[in-house]
Amino acid sequence: MAQLTFDQAKVWRFGADIDTDVLAPGAYMKHNIDVIAQHCLESVRPEFASHVNPGDVLVAGPNFGIGSSREQAAGALVHLGVRAVIAPSFSGLFFRNAFNLGLLLLTCEQALLLQEGDAVRFDGQNLYRTEGDVLPCAGIPDFLMDMVQAGGLLNLLKQQTATR
Amino acid sequence: MNAPQTLAQKLIAKAAGLSHVNVGDVVTCEVDLAMFHDSSGPRRLKPMLDELGAKLWDPNKVVLVLDHYVPAIDPDAQRIVQITRDTARTWALPNVIDSEGICHVVLPERGHLKPGMFCVGGDSHSPTGGAFGAYMFGIGATEMLGVVVTGKIWVQVPRTLRMQWNGKLQQGVSAKDMMLHMIGKFGMNGGQYQAIEFSGPAVMALSMQERMTLSNMSAELGAQAGLIAADEVTLQYLQQVGVSDTLLKDATRWQSDEGAACEAYFFDANALSPQVAAPHSPANTQAVGAFHNTAIDMAYIGACTGAKLEDLRAAAQVLKGHKVSAGVQLMVAPASARDQAQAEAEGVMQVLRDAGAQVLPNTCGACAGYGATFAENTTVISSTARNFKGRMGPASVQVYLASPWTVAASALRGHISDVREML
């Protein structure tokens, strides 16, 4: 069971229009997620995959996840232990994929007020910077939060199969 | 009395078993058809399905296409293709299209899409199906698992953005130019995951394959679906590919109601110049004149959005009787085997070869970036869908997107050129 809140999460900050091909480069798509994850975001920040720690969060500009339907774009972040992605807007297709894989996406207009290395807290509704100021986030429907809590659609389907 | 409904609302309401739906409602829809390919399909789905101990909800509603990793050029690709073929046998899939073209082109070509359907595809360019008046959108492999186990999927009823094109396109200006222009105007997420409906005389004057190019690149606009209401052109295409008249008898009733709420945008087709998107985003679009004298090393005609029969014909019309400029390499990957065979019969393929084109297999090829791609520092003009940094080769590769007309014209001159000067 994944927690729906987090605290003291370290921020990695990225720009706008981070696309699926940057998150999961095509040249590695024939491999399993552990290999793809090693190359996640390497064309914009080569050190990311080797230095990110489980529980860290990504903060990015608008249109995060544009491009392909390849869910490995979200899967690579999950594999690396990224707790959430915080951005003013996401690609709709990436948004579905992320929740289906149990990755929390927070749509936050003021995302870019957060800086590299900041520590952030999420109480299930809003984000807070260490200094205490609030960054409001768009509401997430319960059925998507259930997906995050279950660790993704596969786990949810397993639970449903087990209770049947 | 219900408020007037858009085409998108009607298609979703039907799939959800409701008389009408409201924008913003989250509803569960029955899926009429699920398409997936060798990359998004069995290699990802089978292990998860086995883990669940579940079965496909209805193999007759599944179409599997091998187009991303064929022809297999290395052991990893061979392994993926083998898993795909083995699984197709294990699941006894009745509809498998293997190495005969790109999924979004072969799906309608084999008569799988009809107005009124609700479909999902394991590929981002799945909105192509919208050209046939079907609600179709792309999903990832895990969500596809949900579909193949339950036969259902949720959607949030979208707003409709109506793109109304009035007037008539000039000779040498095509659906790709319309689309690049719209992506340049609205940006790659401008569609906000809503439904687009293309309409107006300049849209309805397009052939089915040109309409498919519009719907296809709704993905680059960030829309969930890109719809075009069915008309006589749609019916004629579907009859030609063998869809029975009984299945088409109420096809043209799938239209937006008069007065249905939507955001409308208006465009003048007469005034549209050929468009080019500069590296590294389809949204970096300007009229072709802005790129005059940009030298190219490679001209690539390929992909679901840029190498269908009509695209090949357009390129041949420009290249007929000429050779590509010295130092420029022209590559053509026809989008389907049937389109290539027809182009062969019409002499179109011979014109392309005579001009110096190297003909590649009927697959996604360099557009997907999964196999052979372009070499370091190559400048490419390409009829494909995406020019993200690093997608079609190393980060140093510069990809300009344009119509097949513009790609062919640029191949002839060795630099980005306005095809209208040559027609």
Side-chain angles (χ1 to χ4, degrees):
Chain A
M1 282 290 201
Q3 286 285 322
L4 293 180
T5 59
F6 56 80
D7 198 1
Q8 293 293 317
K10 187 193 154 226
V11 168
W12 289 75
R13 200 165 180 278
F14 291 85
D17 302 329
I18 295 290
D19 64 62
T20 52
D21 300 48
V22 169
L23 291 160
Y28 306 101
M29 278 292 289
K30 60 182 76 143
H31 299 293
N32 289 333
I33 196 67
D34 52 335
V35 177
I36 296 171
Q38 286 165 28
H39 301 278
C40 180
L41 291 160
E42 74 180 353
S43 66
V44 287
R45 283 190 76 170
E47 80 285 9
F48 174 73
S50 52
H51 286 66
V52 68
N53 287 310
D56 289 355
V57 295
L58 260 59
V59 169
N63 309 329
F64 191 90
I66 50 173
S68 161
S69 67
R70 61 184 76 161
E71 67 179 13
Q72 290 93 331
L77 297 175
V78 172
H79 186 83
L80 295 170
V82 169
R83 189 66 194 82
V85 185
I86 304 158
S89 62
F90 294 92
S91 140
L93 177 46
F94 178 82
F95 190 87
R96 294 186 76 114
N97 282 340
F99 281 91
N100 281 315
L101 293 176
L103 176 64
L104 181 65
L105 302 187
L106 298 174
T107 308
C108 173
E109 268 183 43
Q110 299 169 338
L112 290 177
L113 291 178
L114 293 168
Q115 302 301 324
E116 177 78 18
D118 277 357
V120 288
R121 179 165 75 85
F122 178 66
D123 65 1
Q125 279 192 325
N126 293 308
L127 279 166
Y128 301 86
R129 272 203 283 192
T130 336
E131 307 91 273
D133 50 342
V134 188
L135 303 178
C137 298
I140 297 168
D142 288 346
F143 76 99
L144 290 181
M145 282 310 240
D146 291 347
M147 209 106 86
V148 175
Q149 195 158 29
L153 178 64
L154 177 59
N155 287 345
L156 210 57
L157 287 169
K158 274 189 208 161
Q159 291 170 13
Q160 288 164 3
T161 321
T163 54
R164 224 178 274 153
Chain B
M1 173 105 177
N2 292 325
Q5 300 260 293
T6 61
L7 174 57
Q9 284 174 291
K10 289 183 184 181
L11 293 167
I12 290 170
K14 181 196 172 224
L18 299 166
S19 64
H20 72 285
V21 290
N22 300 310
V23 169
D25 288 355
V26 174
V27 295
T28 301
C29 293
E30 298 267 349
V31 172
D32 295 317
L33 180 141
M35 183 279 293
F36 42 77
H37 51 59
D38 45 355
S39 182
S40 66
R43 71 160 169 149
R44 308 281 333 280
L45 292 173
K46 187 163 189 298
M48 293 193 281
L49 204 65
D50 290 350
E51 202 179 327
L52 280 175
K55 281 200 163 74
L56 290 192
W57 101 107
D58 188 348
N60 291 309
K61 292 184 177 170
V62 168
V63 180
L64 168 63
V65 183
L66 285 88
D67 59 2
H68 276 64
Y69 282 112
V70 284
I73 56 166
D74 59 36
D76 289 316
Q78 279 162 9
R79 177 181 53 81
I80 291 167
V81 168
Q82 193 60 47
I83 292 170
T84 309
R85 289 178 181 149
D86 290 348
T87 308
R89 273 190 294 275
T90 310
W91 289 349
L93 291 181
N95 300 304
V96 180
I97 307 168
D98 188 346
S99 311
E100 293 180 88
I102 305 170
C103 53
H104 309 297
V105 179
V106 295
L107 202 61
E109 185 186 271
R110 311 295 163 113
H112 288 298
L113 298 178
K114 291 170 277 290
M117 289 175 81
F118 183 94
C119 314
V120 295
D123 190 280
S124 62
H125 286 111
S126 299
T128 311
F132 296 86
Y135 200 92
M136 185 159 185
F137 60 105
I139 58 175
T142 297
E143 187 142 45
M144 186 61 84
L145 172 75
V147 170
V148 301
V149 171
T150 66
K152 297 183 177 72
I153 192 167
W154 68 271
V155 287
Q156 182 165 35
V157 181
R159 304 193 309 278
T160 290
L161 315 182
R162 189 158 63 86
M163 305 293 181
Q164 160 106 14
W165 282 81
N166 296 319
K168 187 170 178 285
L169 292 172
Q170 297 168 42
Q171 169 82 338
V173 182
S174 62
K176 173 57 77 54
D177 300 300
M178 296 163 81
M179 214 50 217
L180 288 175
H181 177 72
M182 288 184 274
I183 298 162
K185 180 179 162 77
F186 296 104
M188 278 204 73
N189 214 5
Q192 300 166 58
Y193 211 50
Q194 305 303 308
I196 288 173
E197 186 174 345
F198 301 101
S199 64
V203 171
M204 301 327 276
L206 296 173
S207 67
M208 274 325 294
Q209 286 201 334
E210 281 281 272
R211 293 180 187 186
M212 286 160 67
T213 297
L214 289 185
S215 296
N216 177 290
M217 288 186 67
S218 301
E220 277 63 44
L221 262 174
Q224 185 174 47
L227 307 173
I228 303 174
D231 65 356
E232 278 306 313
V233 175
T234 323
L235 295 187
Q236 223 172 46
Y237 177 103
L238 293 174
Q239 281 159 350
Q240 252 175 26
V241 298
V243 178
S244 76
D245 289 344
T246 2
L247 289 172
L248 294 176
K249 68 178 182 336
D250 66 348
T252 51
R253 86 180 160 94
W254 295 103
Q255 309 274 342
S256 285
D257 289 331
E258 189 93 25
C262 66
E263 292 164 34
Y265 300 92
F266 297 88
F267 302 88
D268 178 10
N270 302 295
L272 186 70
S273 302
Q275 305 284 304
V276 175
H280 296 281
S281 168
N284 283 344
T285 296
Q286 284 182 272
V288 64
F291 302 100
H292 210 64
N293 292 333
T294 302
I296 54 155
D297 308 306
M298 177 88 71
Y300 187 83
I301 294 176
C304 47
T305 186
K308 299 184 283 295
L309 177 60
E310 302 244 348
D311 303 315
L312 304 174
R313 284 174 178 157
Q317 196 175 326
V318 178
L319 294 169
K320 190 165 186 161
H322 302 288
K323 287 251 179 245
V324 298
S325 175
V328 171
Q329 204 179 346
L330 172 63
M331 291 180 152
V332 180
S336 88
R338 282 193 192 172
D339 277 0
Q340 183 171 348
Q342 180 60 31
E344 207 62 82
E346 293 176 11
V348 161
M349 292 310 298
Q350 196 53 47
V351 168
L352 298 176
R353 279 190 292 261
D354 288 347
Q358 182 189 347
V359 179
L360 303 175
N362 310 122
T363 66
C364 302
C367 182
Y370 286 5
T373 51
F374 304 120
E376 290 279 0
N377 299 311
T378 313
T379 300
V380 188
I381 188 155
S382 174
S383 68
T384 55
R386 282 181 197 139
N387 54 352
F388 294 161
K389 191 181 222 173
R391 178 176 169 96
M392 294 173 75
S396 63
V397 172
Q398 304 281 315
V399 180
Y400 292 82
L401 301 178
S403 76
W405 295 92
T406 303
V407 173
S410 306
L412 276 189
R413 291 207 177 150
H415 53 84
I416 295 179
S417 302
D418 189 335
V419 68
R420 293 173 298 180
E421 295 162 6
M422 303 179 198
L423 295 170

